[in-house]
Each structure stands twice: as structure tokens, then as C-alpha cells.
Amino acid sequence: MKIVIKIGTSSIKGQAESSANEELIEQVVEIVYQLKQIGHQVVIVSSGAVGLGCGRLGWTEKPKTITAKQAAAAVGQILLARVYEEFFQKYNQTIGQVLLTRIGMQNKEGYLNARLTLRELLLLGVVPIINENDVVADDEIKFSDNDYLSAVVSELIVAEHLFILTDTEGLFTEDPRQNPNAKLISVVEEINSEIEGQAGSNGSQWGTGGMSSKIQAAKMATSFGTTVHILSSQAPSKIIEILQGQKHGTTFLPRSTPINARKAWIACGASPKGKLIIDNGALAAISKGKSLLPVGIKKIIGKFGRGVVLEIYFEEEQNQQPRIVAKGITKYSSDDLRKIKGLPCEEIDNILGYSYGNSAIHRDDLAVIAN
Ligand code: GLU
């Protein structure tokens, strides 16, 4: 099986300012070795470059400016790679450093290259250690965080399992730091608005994501057919127990009809250029594999041309909270969509004086992430 293990900064950073949590990395390395011994192919997505770099530079807080963060990442990435290399050496296991950028995967060729290189590394028996190339990726163009990156990597290698190791036991009914009665949710069959609501928001001092970004990553990865597990980084040996059928942390079951590879780039390669908010009827239609018609579009956010990728949101009636449900390539510009939203297809030609077809986004260009 193909397995992705994601470790966050809050787990990677050790007690001393400039050190990595070597004990944890050593344990993860041992687990990866065991997984490989029984025939699995494993990829690690590791954060920690910025955190470790800050420590080495003597900074006690994460810097505010982007360039300072990028500089810290340059310093820290080398420290991070060295710790992995040192522990994998003990098992004579070769590793490869892969630094991905969103901009590099913006076009389909870049996306395909990343896929082919990772596949090659796995065939060679190498364990890829992946992070974002923070030096070239500023806040505008970066992957939102490494949780998201781990979902992208799961798609790239077509992983069966993604393990997100973090500083809590899993997803709870409420924030366990605030409410001791909060209960661990063991299995999530579908990531609906209730689950998204349980995720809270903020990350830790050094990390970036928090539970909510893990849920968004789980939503993406399960839509590609990957089973996602969120569990405590305290005991990485549980990864093996989970694969043997035991229950630990929170498991998110994969979608029964995963997004196919052709649409994966739409879902996670291209960076979206605008947003659409759709209504109930449109959500029901796209969930059944139909195209998105102008009649189901309630709102257009941003200015964009034809042929770009858009994020598609649905607003829950109870709380008006928009949640992402799909991504797709628009046939019409934002100006055109503003004129034809809410209208039946027959009106398109009348209103615009031309038509690119009945749908705003054709079903072949639509990757439905959640319904
Ligand atoms: N790439 C960042 C780092 O290595 C981490 C980003 C994240 O954890 O989301 O420090």
C-alpha cells in the first residue's frame, strides 16, 4: 500500500529552541522502516523548517514578515533534512528531499512531473521527505499549509492512507483544551457542516494549521479515495496498529466515488482565481455528477476570465457559513457570470449576445469535493 505520514511543526519542534524533537523523528523513522519491511511504500510530509530555522537564528517567536519566514525556512530545512538522514541511515534507508511549490504545479506538466518523480522515488525504494519550498512560495502563492500539501501528495502518489500526526488525539466533539467532557470522534463517514463546525480554528504557536485545516485536508484526500487518520504524534506506533484494524484517533472514510485522476489537478494543482456560491438545487445536481448551470449560481466573488479554476461554495442555511464543495474550470468570465447568474440557460445568448454552452462549469471540468 502507499502511505503518507504528515508531521506538523508543533510535533517536530523540540523543547530546546533550535532542536528538533529527535525522539519523535526517531520513532517515526522506525515505523516507516517497519512499514517498508512489510512491503508498503511510504512518503513523509514534514513541516518544521520555519520553526527550526527560527530556533537556530535565535528568534523566540515566529517572525511577522514573509521574507523573514522564508529565510528561517532556508536555515531550518537543512536541519530538518539532517535529522531525517541521520535516523534513516541507521536502517540503511535512502531518503530524498522533495520541495514542492504550488506555482510549479500550476500547470498540468508541473503536476505530472511531481507525480512521475515521486512514483520513480517509490519504485527505487527511496522514502521521499516532502515540504513546501517556502523560500520561493510567499503567502499569495503558497499551498495554504502542509495539511493541504499532504492531501495533494496523497493524490499524487494515489495513497491508500494518509496519517496526520498532531498534538491532539484526533477530532473531538468540542475543543478538549476548553471542555474536558469533549468526546473523541472515532470514525467520520462524511465530512459535513457539523464535522467542519467541530474543528474549531486556530493552530499552535509554531504550527500553521490547527484542526480546521486538517479537516479541509481530510475532505480533499477522502475525495481522492484516501482514508485519512488524525492521531496524536505521541505514539506513532499506532499507525501500524491502525493498519492492523485497531481504532485510534479519528478515521475519515474515503468517498465511494473518488475524483478521477484527470480532475485531480483541478482539485489540487491549479490555484483558484475566484469563488462561486451556489444554491441547494445546484449542489444536489453537481453531487449527482451533473454540470453547474448559471441558474444555480447565487453569487460570484472576484474578477476572472474564462478557463480558470474557481472554488465553489455552498452556504448552510442555519449559519450562513460557506463551505467548499467543489472546484471547476469556468466557461464564462466573472463579468458574464454576474449577468447570467440565477437565469435559465435559454437566456444566456439573449443577455450576452453569445453563448459558450448551457453550463457555467461542465461536469467534465468539475471536481466535487463534498456534498
Ligand atoms: N513549510 C512550513 C515549514 O516547514 C510549514 C507549513 C505548515 O506546517 O503548514 O515550516
Side-chain angles (χ1 to χ4, degrees):
M1 272 194 301
K2 296 203 200 73
I3 295 167
V4 178
I5 300 176
K6 187 261 166 180
I7 315 169
T9 302
S10 53
S11 312
I12 286 281
K13 218 169 137 48
Q15 294 307 318
E17 284 306 340
S18 66
S19 70
N21 181 348
E22 297 200 357
E23 202 184 323
L24 167 71
I25 296 182
E26 188 173 16
Q27 285 173 15
V28 171
V29 166
E30 190 188 330
I31 297 303
V32 173
Y33 177 71
Q34 288 177 18
L35 290 169
K36 286 200 41 83
Q37 289 299 97
I38 47 177
H40 299 306
Q41 295 179 314
V42 190
V43 167
I44 297 177
V45 173
S46 179
S47 307
V50 176
L52 294 184
C54 288
R56 174 55 69 89
L57 292 164
W59 299 342
T60 49
E61 276 176 16
K62 204 162 158 181
K64 301 268 179 297
T65 70
I66 293 165
T67 36
K69 269 189 239 167
Q70 290 175 307
V75 172
Q77 183 61 35
I78 252 176
L79 303 175
L80 195 59
R82 200 179 60 197
V83 180
Y84 279 109
E85 171 65 14
E86 189 184 313
F87 287 116
F88 273 113
Q89 259 297 316
K90 293 190 184 159
Y91 298 99
N92 222 357
Q93 171 63 53
T94 305
I95 60 172
Q97 174 171 267
V98 177
L99 298 178
L100 294 173
T101 56
R102 175 140 219 181
I103 212 141
M105 291 161 73
Q106 206 65 265
N107 59 41
K108 289 192 181 135
E109 277 149 47
Y111 195 81
L112 183 66
N113 279 338
R115 192 196 289 287
L116 294 178
T117 308
L118 285 173
R119 189 178 296 165
E120 188 70 20
L121 284 167
L122 292 176
L123 285 175
L124 291 167
V126 172
V127 174
I129 314 282
I130 304 182
N131 197 354
E132 180 159 13
N133 188 352
D134 293 307
V135 172
V136 295
D138 69 20
D139 280 3
E140 280 286 293
I141 51 164
K142 73 199 299 285
F143 291 108
S144 41
D145 49 61
N146 273 12
D147 295 320
Y148 184 90
L149 180 62
S150 70
V152 175
V153 168
S154 300
E155 196 296 312
L156 284 171
I157 68 160
V158 195
E160 276 88 353
H161 292 272
L162 162 61
F163 291 91
I164 301 182
L165 303 183
T166 185
D167 48 10
T168 66
E169 297 292 326
L171 177 67
F172 285 80
T173 48
E174 284 167 78
D175 187 342
R177 290 169 297 193
Q178 274 154 31
N179 185 349
N181 296 326
K183 291 201 175 55
L184 179 73
I185 303 172
S186 158
V187 178
V188 173
E189 285 181 20
E190 190 197 344
I191 302 176
N192 51 27
S193 54
E194 193 187 339
I195 294 293
E196 288 185 57
Q198 271 148 356
S201 55
N202 298 331
S204 63
Q205 186 207 355
W206 291 101
T208 39
M211 190 49 80
S212 131
S213 82
K214 289 173 182 48
I215 300 300
Q216 292 311 313
K219 197 159 140 183
M220 286 276 277
T222 52
S223 74
F224 302 136
T226 303
T227 304
V228 179
H229 312 267
I230 297 181
L231 69 155
S232 164
S233 58
Q234 296 291 323
S237 58
K238 288 186 175 157
I239 291 176
I240 298 211
E241 293 173 9
I242 290 173
L243 291 172
Q244 287 165 344
Q246 291 188 34
K247 288 213 182 331
H248 295 295
T250 304
T251 296
F252 299 79
L253 301 181
R255 254 220 343 241
S256 50
T257 47
I259 291 175
N260 65 29
R262 210 186 73 75
K263 291 185 180 180
W265 174 81
I266 298 173
C268 60
S271 67
K273 300 283 184 267
K275 293 179 185 172
L276 300 180
I277 309 230
I278 60 167
D279 67 14
N280 248 320
L283 178 62
I286 65 169
S287 303
K288 286 193 206 113
K290 301 210 171 120
S291 299
L292 175 64
L293 304 181
V295 70
I297 300 175
K298 285 168 67 177
K299 199 167 164 193
I300 294 106
I301 300 168
K303 187 160 176 59
F304 48 82
R306 306 181 54 218
V308 297
V309 171
L310 304 180
E311 286 179 327
I312 299 158
Y313 285 80
F314 175 71
E315 274 172 355
E316 294 298 329
E317 253 155 52
Q318 319 88 293
N319 52 16
Q320 296 291 299
Q321 274 298 325
R323 60 188 188 97
I324 186 158
V325 290
K327 291 188 193 176
I329 301 175
T330 177
K331 289 205 276 182
Y332 292 90
S333 69
S334 52
D335 290 346
D336 284 355
L337 285 177
R338 285 194 171 94
K339 292 181 199 147
I340 59 175
K341 76 173 163 61
L343 299 176
C345 320
E346 300 77 53
E347 303 261 340
I348 297 178
D349 209 355
N350 280 342
I351 296 202
L352 300 180
Y354 50 82
S355 166
Y356 297 116
N358 285 348
S359 57
I361 299 182
H362 190 269
R363 60 193 153 89
D364 290 347
D365 296 325
L366 197 56
V368 179
I369 301 164
N371 41 31

